[in-house]
Amino acid sequence: MKRMMIASLFLIIGCKEEKKEAVVNQSETEVKENVVQETKPQANESEEAKKWLEKSIEAYFNSGLSNLDNNMQKMTTDDYYDYKGDAMNVDMDLDGSLTEKEFNDKWKGKFDTKKAGVGIGFLISGQDWDKIQTTKCQLISENTNDFLFDVVLTDKSMKEVYPIKIKVIKENGSFLIADVLQDVPEFN
């Protein structure tokens, strides 16, 4: 009887080991398949990035005021979202807002803080708009997974033109805005 129980235990343990090997082999195969899919060359990724950028900008400005922050967060990298949030609130009388020096010290290693658009909104310097359109979106440069575009946004009814440069990266198969270089407008 003891021998039968011991043999049964070995049989149970042996079956469990086979299942573990099967699970390990299956996950290794899945990883290899995913890697192969990622290394396939994409047909003209810069054109895909441009289309994504134009579509995302249009969707952002058509989303309604209550959704702007959420949509900005979805279309930007985490670092850029935090950076631009700090830039928009420099020297504001808000909890967590930074002085200009604190802002520069915090972000100077990652971004060109002179082109942050301090005190102005995401993508445009105007607080009000009617219909923002992308009138220019031209590729300036590209590397493996990042693209720099010269972009002009226009609001014809408000007679406003907003020239900016936007860095788009491809991360985990999706495009995201990693930086927006914008000047603070000078008013006469």
Side-chain angles (χ1 to χ4, degrees):
M1 181 78 168
K2 284 184 180 179
R3 287 183 185 173
M4 196 159 148
M5 289 178 80
I6 292 173
S8 296
L9 286 174
F10 282 125
L11 183 60
I12 291 170
I13 292 171
C15 289
K16 285 184 179 179
E17 292 298 320
E18 286 179 29
K19 287 182 181 178
K20 285 181 183 176
E21 284 181 28
V23 169
V24 169
N25 288 339
Q26 180 182 3
S27 63
E28 287 176 5
T29 304
E30 288 174 7
V31 169
K32 287 178 184 175
E33 287 175 7
N34 288 340
V35 170
V36 170
Q37 289 173 352
E38 290 296 318
T39 59
K40 289 181 183 176
Q42 295 293 319
N44 203 355
E45 282 192 336
S46 62
E47 190 61 33
E48 289 178 37
K50 176 183 175 180
K51 288 177 184 175
W52 173 86
L53 182 59
E54 291 172 333
K55 182 180 174 185
S56 296
I57 289 170
E58 183 178 315
Y60 174 77
F61 285 106
N62 290 328
S63 66
L65 293 175
S66 62
N67 297 321
L68 288 179
D69 185 60
N70 189 33
N71 288 339
M72 177 185 165
Q73 191 169 17
K74 287 179 185 176
M75 64 193 282
T76 61
T77 63
D78 292 339
D79 275 349
Y80 180 75
Y81 176 78
D82 293 340
Y83 166 71
K84 186 57 183 178
D86 284 349
M88 288 188 289
N89 295 316
V90 165
D91 289 330
M92 297 285 240
D93 193 18
L94 302 169
D95 286 341
S97 69
L98 305 171
T99 65
E100 194 160 349
K101 182 184 180 339
E102 291 170 331
F103 172 76
N104 287 327
D105 290 345
K106 179 178 179 180
W107 293 108
K108 68 183 172 192
K110 285 191 170 190
F111 295 95
D112 180 357
T113 57
K114 293 179 185 117
K115 299 286 187 178
V118 170
I120 60 175
F122 175 57
L123 299 174
I124 64 170
S125 57
Q127 292 182 1
D128 298 317
W129 66 86
D130 180 38
K131 182 174 172 132
I132 300 292
Q133 295 178 313
T134 306
T135 52
K136 178 182 180 183
C137 187
Q138 183 178 0
L139 181 68
I140 298 172
S141 66
E142 70 179 293
N143 290 323
T144 305
N145 284 324
D146 64 57
F147 312 89
L148 184 63
F149 292 94
D150 185 13
V151 178
V152 176
L153 303 176
T154 306
D155 188 342
K156 290 180 182 175
S157 66
M158 302 291 259
K159 297 179 180 141
E160 294 289 342
V161 177
Y162 305 103
I164 52 178
K165 301 215 178 346
I166 300 177
K167 179 181 178 183
V168 174
I169 64 166
K170 187 167 188 181
E171 188 174 85
N172 299 324
S174 299
F175 294 109
L176 294 169
I177 293 174
D179 198 3
V180 177
L181 304 172
Q182 57 190 141
D183 294 312
V184 176
E186 295 181 24
F187 300 105
N188 294 331

